[in-house]
Amino acid sequence: MAQLSDDCFAFGGPMRSIDETAALIASKLSAVEEVETVPLALADGRVLARDMIAPLPLPPFTNSAVDGYAVRGVDLPHGAETAFAVGGRVQAGMAPDMAVSPGQAVRIFTGAPMPEGADTVFMQEDVRVDDSGRVILPPGLKRGANVRPAGEDVTQGDMVLPAGHRMRPQDVALAAALGFIDVELRRRIRVAVFSTGDEIVAPGTARGPAQLFDSNRFMLMAMLARLGCETTDLGILADDRELIADRLGEAAGTHDLILTSGGVSTGEADCVRAVIERAGTLVFWRVAIKPGRPVAMGVIGGVPLIGLPGNPVASFVTFAHIARPAILALAGARPQPAIPTPVRAAFSYRKKQGRREYVRASLRATDDGGFEAVKFPREGAGLLSSLVATDGIIELGERTTLVEPGQVVRFLAYSSLV
Ligand code: AMP
Ligand code: MG
């Protein structure tokens, strides 16, 4: 098929698919090896260096799931209500000093250990207490009801979290419940961040009439922080090959990854790719992804470099799909592919075959209880407002050429991408 010269994707030549790119990245990168012991309160988002083994069962002892009355299963009323004498009381935090006697109940509260002999608890809402203080228990409760057996949650000795897992708040809670005060984590990866372009200036400095304030650096640093990286802000580099080569070389000495934006296309002023080719090794520089096709990966001074495109939306999308998996691999994390949600398209859209495309969209509730995706009305890769106004991106596969209203599409929420 003829390509039009105003198509910014009309570079010609073969391009790598995202899946091939991801496999290539995985084969090129090895994880940082250093391990540090970190207090649990600081572990969220970090990568476990070793499998976590449960040193105790959870719950550690069999206990009541409700406030009520504990009895022996053999005494459970059959057919009619039955009055039981109350032979003791166990509160949470108290080790019971009595066993429950035949035909008796013990007053018990949520989380309190079951007294010896008892295996079933009546909820207090289901019983009455008579004038003489006996508790009237109804028939029909199953033996074992309202009891949490020791180890029902976690078995002692189980591997509860694997090495390479990125800690989430619930994982931190599990570690705490198992009595850990700290965890062994891979050290954070150090990422150097540069923007490039003669037209880019830092917010807070004077902006000439043909200049833009740098937005990518701030977006990328924020995304890196969410991935648990230590970032170094190395500012803006002019489109000058020597300067870029020098500064990338310096950064390589003290970082695990260099992330740049801008300057990876084919223009004369697109220096980043040229510098990688001259001063290092270029691994790839074009990927069949829209927005974002010119995205480069290379190695400089033994350190991987990812050159994202300058257009902010292209930078965002390629960060999510190319930089993020690379960062997780360097950090020693297991791959965490974003999980798409199937939703119905509320739009029609045509695309070219052979590249994966991401369309910005918001979700809207439908009458049948589902969601439909409403496409942002414009497509420019420079429209930051399109990222701000939408909830996520719709992933359209390489073979897709047409989306019609009502068709099920794959929605990736921004919150699942960074
Ligand atoms: P480039 O990839 O260098 O060709 O840049 C593509 C477009 O993105 C140009 O319009 C640039 O002005 C813009 N751009 C490049 N870097 C940035 C940045 N750091 N912040 C905002 N826009 C940028
Ligand atoms: Mg540029």
Side-chain angles (χ1 to χ4, degrees):
M1 194 176 80
Q3 288 186 315
L4 301 176
S5 58
D6 66 353
D7 178 353
C8 65
F9 280 79
F11 290 143
M15 274 190 292
R16 237 174 260 283
S17 73
I18 303 233
D19 292 339
E20 286 165 352
T21 307
L24 187 63
I25 290 173
S27 73
K28 293 278 168 196
L29 300 178
S30 44
V32 293
E33 279 173 6
E34 297 96 313
V35 172
E36 55 196 28
T37 303
V38 175
L40 211 45
L42 301 176
D44 184 41
R46 303 273 311 262
V47 177
L48 265 188
R50 317 205 191 290
D51 292 348
M52 185 180 286
I53 310 294
L56 47 112
L58 289 180
F61 52 89
T62 300
N63 67 95
S64 177
V66 295
D67 293 340
Y69 293 85
V71 297
R72 305 181 332 149
V74 291
D75 294 340
L76 283 174
H78 291 293
E81 288 188 333
T82 310
F84 285 65
V86 179
R89 180 184 171 91
V90 205
Q91 264 169 300
M94 198 186 247
D97 55 2
M98 82 296 282
V100 60
S101 316
Q104 277 199 342
V106 163
R107 184 74 168 117
I108 196 163
F109 297 89
T110 306
M114 292 292 283
E116 208 187 308
D119 58 13
T120 308
V121 179
F122 284 82
M123 280 175 80
Q124 63 188 26
E125 292 83 348
D126 294 339
V127 309
R128 283 177 291 120
V129 179
D130 71 12
D131 294 343
S132 58
R134 293 185 313 168
V135 61
I136 317 287
L137 305 181
L141 190 64
K142 262 176 63 186
R143 189 171 189 164
N146 300 319
V147 172
R148 303 187 284 214
E152 75 162 1
D153 189 6
V154 172
T155 307
Q156 183 170 5
D158 268 4
M159 198 269 283
V160 288
L161 295 171
H165 183 76
R166 274 184 75 215
M167 297 290 280
R168 302 165 299 170
Q170 59 267 48
D171 305 318
V172 175
L174 180 59
L178 292 170
F180 292 104
I181 55 166
D182 44 37
V183 272
E184 290 193 85
L185 304 174
R186 302 264 186 152
R187 76 157 166 80
R188 289 173 191 274
I189 65 162
R190 301 181 193 115
V191 185
V193 184
F194 291 100
S195 290
T196 69
D198 289 342
E199 77 283 28
I200 307 299
V201 295
T205 63
R207 186 184 65 80
Q211 291 185 308
L212 297 174
F213 289 126
D214 181 2
S215 57
N216 289 345
R217 196 159 35 102
F218 297 90
M219 177 175 73
L220 298 176
M221 288 196 298
M223 296 204 277
L224 290 165
R226 288 190 176 200
L227 287 175
C229 304
E230 261 176 34
T231 60
T232 313
D233 179 357
L234 290 172
I236 302 163
L237 301 180
D239 291 317
D240 170 333
R241 291 182 189 197
E242 295 229 322
L243 171 78
I244 293 180
D246 286 352
R247 301 296 298 280
L248 296 184
E250 280 163 29
T254 46
H255 294 88
D256 304 301
L257 173 69
I258 302 170
L259 193 62
T260 65
S261 74
V264 284
S265 197
T266 47
E268 269 171 36
D270 288 321
C271 304
V272 173
R273 180 174 58 87
V275 166
I276 305 173
E277 274 174 329
R278 210 175 52 187
T281 316
L282 187 68
V283 177
F284 62 78
W285 76 278
R286 277 183 301 170
V287 180
I289 178 173
K290 185 185 175 188
R293 166 169 152 170
V295 43
M297 184 182 162
V299 180
I300 277 206
V303 170
L305 177 149
I306 296 178
L308 303 177
N311 275 307
V313 181
S315 237
F316 183 93
V317 168
T318 50
F319 181 92
H321 293 286
I322 291 166
R324 180 179 179 273
I327 287 161
L328 293 177
L330 283 170
R334 304 177 148 218
Q336 286 187 277
I339 299 168
T341 311
V343 297
R344 294 203 181 276
F347 60 90
S348 58
Y349 188 71
R350 280 185 191 280
K351 75 174 265 296
K352 281 192 182 157
Q353 205 164 10
R355 67 189 183 209
R356 198 174 295 175
E357 204 163 319
Y358 293 95
V359 171
R360 287 142 271 171
S362 299
L363 290 187
R364 184 166 68 190
T366 54
D367 292 341
D368 62 3
F371 285 96
E372 62 184 5
V374 181
K375 183 181 160 300
F376 190 78
R378 289 171 297 142
E379 272 138 47
L383 302 175
L384 260 181
S385 63
S386 68
L387 287 177
V388 172
T390 49
D391 300 318
I393 45 184
I394 290 172
E395 182 172 71
L396 302 175
E398 284 80 353
R399 286 202 291 268
T400 301
T401 53
L402 176 67
V403 178
E404 287 177 303
Q407 190 176 323
V408 174
V409 289
R410 293 151 65 87
F411 177 79
L412 293 164
Y414 293 137
S415 55
S416 72
L417 294 174
V418 283

